[in-house]
Amino acid sequence: EADIYQTPRYLVIGTGKKITLECSQTMGHDKMYWYQQDPGMELHLIHYSYGVNSTEKGDLSSESTVSRIRTEHFPLTLESARPSHTSQYLCASSGGGGVNQPQHFGDGTRLSIL
Amino acid sequence: KNQVEQSPQSLIILEGKNCTLQCNYTVSPFSNLRWYKQDTGRGPVSLTIMTFSENTKSNGRYTATLDADTKQSSLHITASQLSDSASYICVVSSTGGGNKLTFGTGTQLKVEL
């Protein structure tokens, strides 16, 4: 089992609220990622970080923002939630040792915006 | 455009039977190919990672094959168990653009008694 944790697991909240999805890993991995996954669809990368104070946008445009102040922590924030943000959000991390390292995923946050 | 296509989209088999899932890709330049298992409501878990020079790799009852010439991979599951019921996702990594991953939509496998 990978040591990467996401909270909350489920969140139902009204439009306009500010939301922060938490992701923490205890493996000391430098690289962390956020993916968005809709039912029956592929994962899409929305943010990634290769280390502290380093964040980049992924392939899928997202209104969310991320921060990486500590190696183990990579939270994702939505300033004003909208129904279009309803989705599953998966956090992942990977270690050093080259490009053939697997990504370890958390169990995700299923977000529903009413 | 880099793409990963998986077939079948879904599959139902009886416990104890074998099955093979397919993955075709057009990702270039190729770095590696990964198979993940995703249980319902959970995050994906890595099964195998294969580089260009590897033709086959096993992880218990899971055996993945790779034909880099035809850009095809398969995942063979032997003696299926109820716990094998999950989505199996093929992911291809490209050396271009900072080792970008392209995900397939997965094959939904259900193992029944």
Side-chain angles (χ1 to χ4, degrees), chain B residues 66-83:
Chain B
L66 173 64
D67 186 335
D69 291 332
T70 61
K71 298 187 177 181
Q72 295 179 324
S73 175
S74 66
L75 180 69
H76 186 75
I77 304 174
T78 303
S80 61
Q81 300 175 358
L82 295 178
S83 59

Side-chain angles (χ1 to χ4, degrees), chain A residues 1 9-10 31 35 37 40-44 50 59 88 90 99-108 110, chain B residues 9 31-32 34 36 38 41-46 49-51 89 93 95 97-101 103-105:
Chain A
E1 296 279 333
R9 287 294 312 279
Y10 305 92
K31 299 175 185 175
Y35 292 90
Q37 183 183 31
M41 302 298 290
E42 65 268 42
L43 278 72
H44 291 284
Y50 285 168
D59 306 318
Q88 173 158 271
L90 289 162
V99 300
N100 297 324
Q101 295 302 308
Q103 290 189 6
H104 300 275
F105 285 84
D107 285 334
R110 188 168 295 279
Chain B
Q9 187 174 359
S31 177
N32 59 64
R34 310 157 183 228
Y36 282 87
Q38 185 175 22
R42 305 295 298 275
V45 174
S46 179
I49 297 177
M50 289 183 293
T51 61
I89 303 171
S93 173
T95 54
N99 298 302
K100 173 183 174 180
L101 299 182
F103 288 78
T105 56

Side-chain angles (χ1 to χ4, degrees), chain B:
Chain B
K1 179 183 176 183
N2 289 338
Q3 284 188 315
V4 174
E5 295 185 354
Q6 294 187 241
S7 63
Q9 187 174 359
S10 62
L11 181 63
I12 302 174
I13 61 173
L14 295 176
E15 187 181 29
K17 299 296 185 182
N18 304 335
C19 67
T20 300
L21 315 180
Q22 301 291 344
C23 173
N24 296 337
Y25 62 92
T26 58
V27 176
S28 181
F30 176 87
S31 177
N32 59 64
L33 186 144
R34 310 157 183 228
W35 282 95
Y36 282 87
K37 177 188 179 188
Q38 185 175 22
D39 292 317
T40 301
R42 305 295 298 275
V45 174
S46 179
L47 295 175
T48 62
I49 297 177
M50 289 183 293
T51 61
F52 183 87
S53 59
E54 294 175 297
N55 300 119
T56 184
K57 182 166 279 190
S58 292
N59 179 357
R61 294 180 296 102
Y62 301 103
T63 300
T65 64
L66 173 64
D67 186 335
D69 291 332
T70 61
K71 298 187 177 181
Q72 295 179 324
S73 175
S74 66
L75 180 69
H76 186 75
I77 304 174
T78 303
S80 61
Q81 300 175 358
L82 295 178
S83 59
D84 292 332
S85 296
S87 178
Y88 291 84
I89 303 171
C90 177
V91 186
V92 181
S93 173
S94 171
T95 54
N99 298 302
K100 173 183 174 180
L101 299 182
T102 302
F103 288 78
T105 56
T107 291
Q108 188 68 44
L109 173 66
K110 184 174 183 181
V111 181
E112 295 182 336
L113 290 172

Side-chain angles (χ1 to χ4, degrees), chain A residues 10-67:
Chain A
Y10 305 92
L11 180 61
V12 180
I13 200 165
T15 299
K17 301 292 186 182
K18 179 179 179 179
I19 300 166
T20 297
L21 307 184
E22 302 289 348
C23 176
S24 295
Q25 50 97 4
T26 59
M27 297 171 283
H29 288 169
D30 285 327
K31 299 175 185 175
M32 296 190 73
Y33 314 83
W34 275 103
Y35 292 90
Q36 189 171 336
Q37 183 183 31
D38 292 319
M41 302 298 290
E42 65 268 42
L43 278 72
H44 291 284
L45 181 68
I46 52 176
H47 298 283
Y48 62 97
S49 167
Y50 285 168
V52 171
N53 294 325
S54 157
T55 61
E56 301 287 344
K57 289 189 177 297
D59 306 318
L60 182 67
S61 176
S62 174
E63 295 169 345
S64 58
T65 59
V66 292
S67 63

